[in-house]
Amino acid sequence: MLNRAVPEPAAPAFAALETPVALVDLPRLERNVARTAEYCRAHGFAWRPHAKTHKILAVAHLQRRAGAVGLTVATAREAEVMAAAGADLLLAHPPFGSARLDRLMALPDEVRLSVALDSAESLRGLAEAARAARRRVGVLVEADLGTRRAGVQSPACAVDVARLAADAPWLDYRGLMFYAGHLRMRPEQQREPIAALSAALAEFRGALEDAGLPAEVVSGGSTATLLRSHEVAGLTEVRTGTDVFHDRTTAALGLCSEDDCAYTVLATVVSTAVPGQAVIDAGSKTLSKEELRAEGRGYGALVGHPGVVLSGLYEEHGILDLSGTDWRPRLGERVRVIPNHVCVSVHLQERVVVVRGEEVVDQWEVGARGRF
Ligand SMILES: Cc1ncc(COP(=O)(O)O)c(C=O)c1O
């Protein structure tokens, strides 16, 4: 249906699907994409979805058609695959080392590449690679506004890195980038933290402006904070990732309903031998063993069975604790699991089967999977 690197075999009928298999519900996916696109349009934000969640070119095309200005990527592979979905990419990960820089510089000429970074060392490496490749590269200075993961620690540091970027012959200083990963909380709890974030950002923007280096781009945003993005003064661009599929964590935080979760893993009950539990064929190599980043137990939600706890994961075994339900599954019964953290589960799949309810409509390769 849409561009992919490798032709897929014909999609089997739903009943014939071998499990465990990842399913993407197309109407839900399209609804999620439309919702974020509409919010960004209404508030005048450029929307640059993060491809790390889906790693699928067909999904990137869908986001671009809905109005995304380009894509955010975290790895060189994501950049190489997503280059085909739009000529405007932001690498939101410090570009360190020649292996990565060489691959970035080898992206097709028509790609307008920007990179976010937080140190003079990274900046110098990028400047040298861009000069050698005779390629113009945009630079956003990453600021730490509370996540404490990466990002310059003070407005003065941001000015230093921005000045180096502005002075480098093949680099174009563009502005600021931040990721508010520390605000993964329910929207109603975010009012004060967002105000504090906005105030911290104002200090960075003010210092850059005073230094004659105003930030033309201020790139932020996340699934958790999406609907409060307009409360962040000066924000120009929103990078959401998880919202494309949603997951058990975003549902538990009240950021969506379970009916918005577009990605599930179809699994088969393969053992009921141990009393009080059942075993499915989806384990940590399919679902990932990510904790729920909200209140609740277990490694995923069983669609239609809220009383079941997916209490343990071995590599190919998922343990269903049945103590909170009267449901007693038969051997061979199939269930759908919403993973705690969808991005990591997607990364474990070679392909996803695209469905409308229980009708198979396509298969998509997870073309940008892998860690490089
Ligand atoms: C730099 C960056 N931008 C954007 C995102 C998207 O965040 P979310 O998946 O919460 O929407 C992430 C997620 O890890 C990120 O690391």
Side-chain angles (χ1 to χ4, degrees):
M1 166 180 159
L2 295 160
N3 269 358
R4 11 176 137 79
V6 183
E8 295 287 331
F14 192 86
L17 288 173
E18 195 176 346
T19 64
V21 62
L23 307 177
V24 169
D25 188 279
L26 189 57
R28 291 183 183 195
L29 167 67
E30 289 173 337
R31 201 168 67 209
N32 292 344
V33 166
R35 238 185 234 147
T36 302
E38 182 47 38
Y39 171 84
C40 290
R41 218 178 348 259
H43 291 277
F45 291 125
W47 175 42
R48 185 183 293 282
H50 204 318
K52 55 109 199 176
T53 298
H54 56 72
K55 290 179 177 269
I56 297 171
L57 185 56
V59 176
H61 279 305
L62 222 133
Q63 292 173 317
R64 292 278 286 135
R65 281 199 299 273
V69 296
L71 278 300
T72 306
V73 296
T75 66
R77 177 77 183 148
E78 288 173 8
E80 288 158 357
V81 171
M82 298 306 154
D88 195 320
L89 299 180
L90 168 65
L91 178 78
H93 197 274
F96 214 87
S98 58
R100 171 174 281 212
L101 287 168
D102 289 352
R103 285 173 72 186
L104 293 174
M105 294 308 121
L107 287 170
D109 288 344
E110 63 273 19
V111 171
R112 182 176 188 255
L113 176 68
S114 296
V115 170
L117 45 72
D118 65 358
S119 70
E121 289 95 314
S122 293
L123 193 286
R124 287 196 194 98
L126 180 68
E128 178 48 31
R131 190 198 56 74
R134 305 183 65 75
R135 178 177 195 121
R136 299 217 69 80
V137 181
V139 172
L140 299 184
V141 179
E142 179 168 2
D144 177 13
L145 301 185
T147 301
R148 305 204 67 72
R149 181 176 73 172
V152 293
Q153 296 294 301
S154 70
C157 267
V159 169
D160 289 345
V161 179
R163 183 161 290 125
L164 283 175
D167 290 345
W170 288 88
L171 302 185
D172 299 313
Y173 161 69
R174 297 209 168 110
L176 276 169
M177 171 271 191
F178 66 91
Y179 176 57
H182 59 302
L183 301 188
R184 191 174 288 113
M185 54 182 74
R186 303 185 72 84
E188 62 273 19
Q189 298 168 330
Q190 289 178 16
R191 187 176 297 278
E192 284 179 18
I194 289 273
L197 180 95
S198 192
L201 180 60
E203 290 190 19
F204 281 88
R205 288 171 51 229
L208 288 165
E209 224 164 285
D210 292 348
L213 296 160
E216 169 206 331
V217 173
V218 178
S219 177
S222 66
T223 296
T225 59
L226 171 69
L227 297 180
R228 284 188 183 270
S229 299
H230 58 280
E231 296 174 21
V232 180
L235 191 71
T236 67
E237 177 173 288
V238 167
R239 306 180 317 273
T240 52
T242 309
D243 62 328
V244 71
F245 291 144
H246 280 296
D247 59 20
R248 184 166 174 237
T249 295
T250 59
L253 290 174
L255 303 167
C256 69
S257 76
E258 198 176 290
D259 288 346
D260 295 321
C261 291
Y263 176 99
T264 53
V265 168
L266 182 70
T268 303
V269 175
V270 292
S271 171
T272 54
V274 178
Q277 69 176 45
V279 177
I280 55 174
D281 56 2
S284 60
K285 285 183 172 168
T286 304
L287 294 164
S288 86
K289 208 166 178 176
E290 292 273 300
E291 300 290 334
L292 182 65
R293 296 169 299 169
E295 259 177 54
R297 291 192 300 136
Y299 294 105
L302 226 65
V303 176
H305 298 288
V308 175
V309 178
L310 183 47
S311 59
L313 292 183
Y314 296 78
E315 290 170 54
E316 285 91 13
H317 299 71
I319 309 297
L320 305 183
D321 175 348
L322 303 176
S323 57
T325 175
D326 293 335
W327 177 62
R328 290 293 172 266
R330 300 169 276 105
L331 275 185
E333 194 163 340
R334 301 209 293 183
V335 293
R336 281 163 88 154
V337 181
I338 302 170
N340 284 351
H341 187 178
V342 67
C343 312
V344 189
S345 176
V346 170
H347 158 87
L348 297 170
Q349 318 301 322
E350 291 85 21
R351 62 181 55 82
V352 297
V353 171
V354 187
V355 296
R356 259 192 207 96
E358 296 204 346
E359 178 203 357
V360 176
V361 295
D362 207 345
Q363 294 189 78
W364 291 337
E365 187 197 8
V366 184
R369 72 198 288 261
R371 63 188 183 284
F372 299 127

